[in-house]
């Protein structure tokens, strides 16, 4: 038998990966640019200037800085106006900022956001009746979201020009990142438009614009499926709504199916960056923990905290067995029904995993309260505050506090306060609270006895 050496295998793998990426790139359809954004005579033309000369930069920087100041002031000033006057005021300011871009049509996202928002506002007012209740509010919502997006991209536009000025000529504009952000902001607003024809036209134009952004991004291959899906859907629909609102509603349903894939593009982009990937993973972990805390049974076994979730006793038992740590167990604390915490100590022998889980699941789980439960105080001069709507949440916070600030100490003094009541000192005269179970169990159970 003959074997490929590792170098040959790596080369073949690299070539096959590159070939696959190239095939996906070739498989992408040619996404047409929205004519409103590319026709030279259009009021909404975005232009093709991606990199500024030194002379252009001297014009761009003051424009960008002034635009940021003007837009922030416009939002503040509009707060004191009627809705109709807010719309007129913001329209005038947005048009002024776009016009003042020195007629260079800088291809920068701050200007894109304002320009495209003005286009959507024009489409909305041409399709919907201005006198219909809600139309003016829909226009204002689009404007506020568009201005907010422009301000969000102010710093990234400046950073882009600085990178180019430093000679990083390979820097590429992050079209897809902007497209996803613009799409998520505008599509959320458009779904509140009650006029069927207007909503259909706005959905169509927004998806057309952001798909153009997706297709010209350097990462387009990574979300080729979304690009093709949007392209195919738009190609089977009329660009302009018809006179039949029922047909418009059916078409709207087809377009709203695309909102999920649009959101997935933003996630793909963020996950490609190491820093943002870590942030997303931490946010998702925190959200999972929050959900588990609100629905689960909190358990402390010796110095280990865990949460049990399940839709049946069998599932709860299985997950409990999987999480109980190995070793000699003679202390457990867990939330039970009502406003009570059970702390069990076995003074004659040790429990095994099955016995621990049998004890935990023999009681009902604690239900959430309408108002937060709050405990504060100190353990050996280390202060804490725990707040949540369930005992499980308090137990989790106490476990984190114990692990980071208390573990390893011989604890015989605590001060425990409940809500706004004065703190009460507690002393262990006979021994020490030297485990998480003993420490957290004491804090929460004595807080309960003080009137939590």
């Amino acid at each position: 038998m003959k074997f490929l050496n590792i170098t040959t295998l790596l080369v073949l793998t690299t070539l096959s990966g590159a070939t696959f990426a190239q095939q996906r790139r070739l498989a992408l359809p040619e996404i047409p640019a929205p004519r409103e954004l590319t026709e030279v005579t259009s009021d909404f033309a975005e232009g093709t200037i991606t990199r500024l000369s030194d002379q252009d930069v001297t014009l761009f920087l003051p424009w960008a800085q002034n635009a940021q100041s003007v837009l922030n002031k416009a939002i503040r000033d509009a707060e004191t106006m009627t809705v109709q006057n807010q719309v007129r005021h913001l329209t005038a300011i947005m048009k002024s900022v776009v016009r003042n871009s020195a007629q260079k049509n800088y291809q920068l996202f701050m200007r894109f956001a304002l320009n495209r928002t003005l286009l959507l506002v024009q489409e909305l007012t041409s399709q919907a009746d201005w006198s219909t209740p809600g139309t003016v509010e829909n226009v204002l919502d689009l404007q506020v979201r568009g201005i907010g997006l422009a301000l969000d991209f102010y710093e990234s536009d400046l950073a882009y020009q600085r990178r180019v000025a430093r000679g990083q000529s390979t820097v590429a504009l992050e079209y897809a990142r902007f497209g996803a952000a613009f799409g998520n902001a505008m599509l959320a607003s458009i779904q509140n438009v009650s006029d069927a024809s207007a909503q259909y036209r706005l959905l169509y134009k927004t998806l057309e614009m952001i798909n153009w952004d997706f297709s010209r991004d350097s990462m387009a291959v990574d979300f080729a499926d979304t690009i093709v899906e949007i392209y195919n859907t738009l190609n089977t629909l009329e660009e302009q709504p018809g006179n039949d609102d029922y047909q418009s509603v059916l078409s709207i349903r087809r377009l709203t199916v695309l909102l999920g894939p649009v959101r997935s593009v933003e996630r793909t982009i963020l996950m490609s960056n190491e820093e943002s990937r870590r942030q997303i993973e931490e946010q998702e972990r925190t959200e999972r923990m929050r959900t588990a805390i609100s629905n689960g049974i909190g358990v402390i076994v010796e110095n280990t905290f865990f949460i049990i979730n399940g839709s049946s006793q069998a599932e709860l038992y299985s997950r409990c067995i999987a999480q109980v740590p190995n070793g000699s167990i003679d202390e457990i604390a867990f939330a039970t029904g009502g406003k009570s915490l059970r702390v069990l100590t076995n003074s004659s022998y040790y429990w095994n995993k099955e016995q621990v889980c049998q004890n935990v699941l023999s009681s009902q789980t604690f239900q959430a309260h309408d108002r937060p439960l709050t405990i504060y105080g100190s353990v050996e001069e280390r202060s804490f505050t725990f707040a949540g709507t369930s005992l499980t949440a308090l137990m989790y916070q106490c476990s984190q506090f114990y692990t980071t600030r208390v573990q390893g100490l011989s604890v015989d003094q605590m001060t425990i306060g409940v809500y706004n009541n004065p703190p009460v000192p507690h002393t262990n005269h006979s021994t020490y609270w030297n485990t998480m179970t003993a420490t957290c169990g004491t804090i929460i159970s004595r807080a309960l006895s003080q009137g939590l």
Side-chain angles (χ1 to χ4, degrees):
M1 181 180 293
K2 294 183 179 179
F3 296 92
L4 290 173
N5 65 46
I6 190 64
T7 303
T8 304
L9 184 60
L10 287 173
V11 169
L12 289 175
T13 303
T14 303
L15 287 175
S16 62
T19 302
F20 176 72
Q22 183 64 22
Q23 286 174 343
R24 290 199 72 183
R25 169 68 72 175
L26 293 173
L28 283 174
E30 188 68 31
I31 305 299
R35 61 180 182 279
E36 296 92 342
L37 305 185
T38 54
E39 290 179 353
V40 176
T41 57
S42 171
D43 292 336
F44 306 101
E46 291 185 342
T48 57
I49 298 176
T50 58
R51 306 233 170 92
L52 280 59
S53 66
D54 291 342
Q55 183 179 3
D56 288 333
V57 170
T58 61
L59 296 173
F60 164 74
L61 292 177
W63 170 80
Q65 292 162 356
N66 181 65
Q68 183 196 40
S69 175
V70 168
L71 292 172
N72 278 317
K73 185 176 186 302
I75 292 293
R76 291 195 303 271
D77 291 346
E79 293 175 356
T80 61
M81 303 175 184
T82 63
V83 176
Q84 289 84 353
N85 286 338
Q86 287 185 62
V87 168
R88 295 188 186 97
H89 178 64
L90 295 181
T91 298
I93 293 297
M94 293 166 72
K95 287 182 176 179
S96 173
V97 170
V98 172
R99 282 198 307 268
N100 289 338
S101 62
Q103 302 303 316
K104 286 286 187 179
N105 290 355
Y106 298 132
Q107 196 171 17
L108 294 164
F109 298 136
M110 187 177 189
R111 184 181 183 280
F112 280 15
L114 299 175
N115 205 42
R116 295 182 182 189
T117 300
L118 288 170
L119 171 59
L120 292 180
V121 167
Q122 176 178 284
E123 296 292 343
L124 174 56
T125 54
S126 68
Q127 295 288 340
D129 186 347
W130 184 265
S131 63
T132 301
T135 300
V136 181
E137 287 78 6
N138 291 148
V139 171
L140 180 60
D141 189 38
L142 285 173
Q143 291 177 321
V144 171
R145 288 175 185 270
I147 290 174
L149 195 65
L151 292 171
D152 287 344
F153 277 90
Y154 166 75
E155 291 294 344
S156 67
D157 280 353
L158 291 182
Y160 173 79
Q161 293 306 328
R162 292 191 189 105
R163 291 196 298 272
V164 174
R166 289 197 298 266
Q168 298 178 8
S169 58
T170 59
V171 176
L173 281 169
E174 296 177 304
Y175 292 108
R177 186 171 76 89
F178 170 76
F182 181 81
N184 287 332
M186 294 299 149
L187 293 171
S189 178
I190 292 166
Q191 288 181 286
N192 295 323
V193 174
S194 57
D195 185 286
S197 297
Q199 186 179 122
Y200 172 74
R201 176 63 176 165
L202 293 176
L203 283 170
Y204 189 100
K205 289 308 297 182
T206 301
L207 289 164
E208 181 187 43
M209 288 189 285
I210 65 178
N211 208 35
W212 184 45
D213 291 331
F214 293 166
S215 69
R216 57 186 177 150
D217 190 84
S218 60
M219 290 180 60
V221 171
D222 294 326
F223 26 87
D225 293 342
T226 297
I227 294 171
V228 171
E229 186 176 2
I230 296 174
Y231 174 77
N232 288 339
T233 302
L234 295 182
N235 269 1
T236 60
L237 295 171
E238 295 295 329
E239 185 174 348
Q240 295 290 345
N243 295 323
D244 185 348
D245 278 353
Y246 177 72
Q247 288 301 320
S248 291
V249 170
L250 294 179
S251 297
I252 286 169
R253 290 176 180 172
R254 290 187 60 193
L255 293 176
T256 53
V257 170
L258 300 171
L259 302 190
V262 169
R263 286 190 288 269
S264 72
V265 169
E266 184 173 40
R267 178 182 172 81
T268 299
I269 296 166
L270 291 172
M271 293 298 281
S272 68
N273 177 275
E274 180 65 23
E275 182 178 353
S276 60
R277 181 185 63 78
R278 286 198 300 269
Q279 291 174 349
I280 290 173
E281 289 174 346
E282 178 59 25
Q283 289 171 357
E284 291 176 346
R285 187 198 67 79
T286 302
E287 185 58 34
R288 287 194 299 271
M289 178 60 73
R290 185 180 295 114
T291 300
I293 286 173
S294 63
N295 299 324
I297 305 171
V299 184
I300 297 175
V301 176
E302 300 295 335
N303 288 325
T304 300
F305 171 84
F306 58 90
I307 298 172
I308 309 171
N309 280 285
S311 57
S312 66
Q313 282 293 104
E315 190 173 12
L316 290 169
Y317 184 79
S318 174
R319 292 182 178 179
C320 179
I321 290 290
Q323 294 185 85
V324 174
N326 295 317
S328 302
I329 301 169
D330 60 4
E331 287 184 327
I332 56 175
F334 52 95
T336 64
K339 290 176 58 177
S340 62
L341 178 82
R342 294 198 67 184
V343 180
L344 303 180
T345 302
N346 191 335
S347 57
S348 56
Y349 63 94
Y350 294 113
W351 287 307
N352 58 30
K353 290 187 176 188
E354 289 80 1
Q355 290 167 325
V356 168
C357 293
Q358 185 179 9
N359 277 315
V360 170
L361 298 180
S362 63
S363 303
Q364 304 238 342
T365 60
F366 175 75
Q367 300 300 314
H369 284 248
D370 293 334
R371 66 167 180 161
L373 311 171
T374 304
I375 307 172
Y376 72 94
S378 62
V379 174
E380 297 294 334
E381 300 183 350
R382 290 158 175 78
S383 63
F384 64 82
T385 300
F386 311 141
T389 55
S390 71
L391 289 182
T392 299
L394 300 181
M395 292 170 69
Y396 169 71
Q397 293 169 52
C398 186
S399 72
Q400 299 297 296
F401 167 70
Y402 183 87
T403 301
T404 57
R405 304 196 63 197
V406 177
Q407 192 161 10
L409 298 178
S410 296
V411 178
D412 62 0
Q413 290 188 340
M414 298 182 187
T415 301
I416 303 171
V418 176
Y419 296 125
N420 292 321
N421 299 326
V424 177
H426 297 270
T427 303
N428 191 337
H429 295 289
S430 57
T431 183
Y432 294 106
W433 296 300
N434 55 8
T435 65
M436 184 190 296
T437 306
T439 303
C440 292
T442 299
I443 290 173
I444 297 175
S445 60
R446 297 199 180 184
L448 291 169
S449 68
Q450 289 174 213
L452 183 62

